[in-house]
Amino acid sequence: METKEKIVTEAITFITTRGTNAFSYKDISKEIGIKTSSIHYYFPTKNDLIVAVLEHVIQKNKEDRKRNNYSNMKSALRGYIDEHILIREQNKVSIIAALAADINTLEPQIKAILNNYIEEEIDYLAHILDKGEKEKLFVYKAAPRIQALMILTNLLAISRISMITEKIYFDEVSRQILIDIEKK
Amino acid sequence: METKEKIVTEAITFITTRGTNAFSYKDISKEIGIKTSSIHYYFPTKNDLIVAVLEHVIQKNKEDRKRNNYSNMKSALRGYIDEHILIREQNKVSIIAALAADINTLEPQIKAILNNYIEEEIDYLAHILDKGEKEKLFVYKAAPRIQALMILTNLLAISRISMITEKIYFDEVSRQILIDIEKK
DNA sequence: AAATTTCTATCTACTAATAGGTAGATAATC
DNA sequence: GATTATCTACCTATTAGTAGATAGAAATTT
């Protein structure tokens, strides 16, 4: 892996485990064995690095989803939940949860990118829910985008909560999401 | 207000708006017009201050709830949601959301207090849900404690998300919580 | 009641470490 | 020879924390 990619990879780990204000260029430099000035060569400011991290994660997520080809909306929803399970198993949180926590200390640029990404996430999940409802697979009361928000918020927050309480809570909540929505 | 209380009050604001790693003793000192060394006099380390903040918020919340005397479980649930609305209106997040975000950078002591507090929150909400169900006011599929977690996670995460997206999302989610659970 | 001691809260002054960032030399690659 | 990537060396500001002085209030002794 080339240096630039290594830096982004390490930054992702720090941001999604400790937050943007609890890691420094020195932390990354120690981790991959280069000097902090070399990181500044690729990412002049910390904001540049965070932007690169955010765009990298968004891009990767898009590609991963393109690869999946779900036969029905039930497995599409399960696949969506699996994305969150995977992050949880690595003791990380999603980039949305990570950057949302620091939003008042970040530059407006990041807020804008993040806002756009969250809307896309809601769209993606709402589409699965809407299609699944029309196929008589799901039942729920809210509008699809609001129902998507209900599920997204369950996953984002239980990911955080289960780092403090018993890990089992994560499984119970993710299971309940499916029970509440799958018909019969 | 005496100095010690002022320090805790300011620290609460910083922690619930910027996070524990994005404020310093200097920030507080500037805000209330004393030297940082005077803050160290009351709270020798930053961990001491965060512990004091956490215990203060827990205590205050307990007292506020004792003052309320809900006639039925429907208004008790609405009262619980109102607590979160109040925090959101101040552009803050709950102390649980705030400290959960920084948990990997905090001392084990804080994790222990927070774990205990989260369990108490689940108990409190689960009790409302359970009683309300027995009184035929609520309908839901999960065990009371899991249903409590579903609602708590909705509120914690939408509080964060709505700081990035449209504020309206917060109202839509909090309204949906009630629609989904209130019988007929 | 006056004098003295102790306590409380604050201040000035300092420290070692870290943060984010810059300038410019140098080596390796195209 | 120019470009790319890395390094050394530096800078300014901030961070968390300590040591010790001091002023005023409160308690104690004479």
Side-chain angles (χ1 to χ4, degrees), chain A residues 89-139:
Chain A
E89 279 170 356
Q90 293 173 277
N91 279 306
K92 295 179 178 176
V93 296
S94 79
I95 197 74
I96 292 176
L99 297 182
D102 298 324
I103 201 69
N104 292 327
T105 70
L106 298 170
E107 305 218 357
Q109 181 195 13
I110 289 170
K111 193 170 172 176
I113 301 171
L114 203 53
N115 183 29
N116 189 63
Y117 181 47
I118 291 170
E119 291 295 342
E120 281 176 15
E121 282 291 298
I122 297 171
D123 289 342
Y124 177 77
L125 186 48
H127 176 256
I128 293 171
L129 296 174
D130 195 33
K131 207 166 165 212
E133 194 194 25
K134 280 167 181 143
E135 291 172 3
K136 315 275 182 204
L137 294 169
F138 303 146
V139 197

Side-chain angles (χ1 to χ4, degrees), chain A residues 6-7 12 16 48 54 56 66 68 70 79 122 143 180 182:
Chain A
K6 275 191 208 165
I7 295 168
I12 290 171
T16 59
D48 295 327
L54 181 50
H56 182 273
K66 216 176 277 176
N68 293 328
Y70 296 114
I122 297 171
D180 281 347
E182 292 188 354

Side-chain angles (χ1 to χ4, degrees), chain A residues 59-115:
Chain A
Q59 190 53 38
K60 195 185 168 297
N61 185 238
K62 246 172 213 163
E63 284 163 20
D64 288 351
R65 284 186 186 166
K66 216 176 277 176
R67 228 171 285 124
N68 293 328
N69 218 329
Y70 296 114
S71 55
N72 65 79
M73 292 305 108
K74 231 174 207 180
S75 50
L77 177 58
R78 282 160 193 245
Y80 182 81
I81 292 171
D82 284 343
E83 288 178 24
H84 288 264
I85 291 172
L86 200 71
I87 293 168
R88 180 65 192 86
E89 279 170 356
Q90 293 173 277
N91 279 306
K92 295 179 178 176
V93 296
S94 79
I95 197 74
I96 292 176
L99 297 182
D102 298 324
I103 201 69
N104 292 327
T105 70
L106 298 170
E107 305 218 357
Q109 181 195 13
I110 289 170
K111 193 170 172 176
I113 301 171
L114 203 53
N115 183 29

Side-chain angles (χ1 to χ4, degrees), chain B residues 126-142:
Chain B
H127 175 256
I128 292 171
L129 296 175
D130 195 33
K131 208 166 164 217
E133 192 194 26
K134 280 168 181 144
E135 291 172 1
K136 314 277 182 202
L137 295 170
F138 302 146
V139 198
Y140 54 88
K141 298 179 186 173

Side-chain angles (χ1 to χ4, degrees), chain B residues 3 35 37-38 41-42:
Chain B
T3 306
K35 299 289 159 179
S37 51
S38 301
Y41 171 75
Y42 294 102

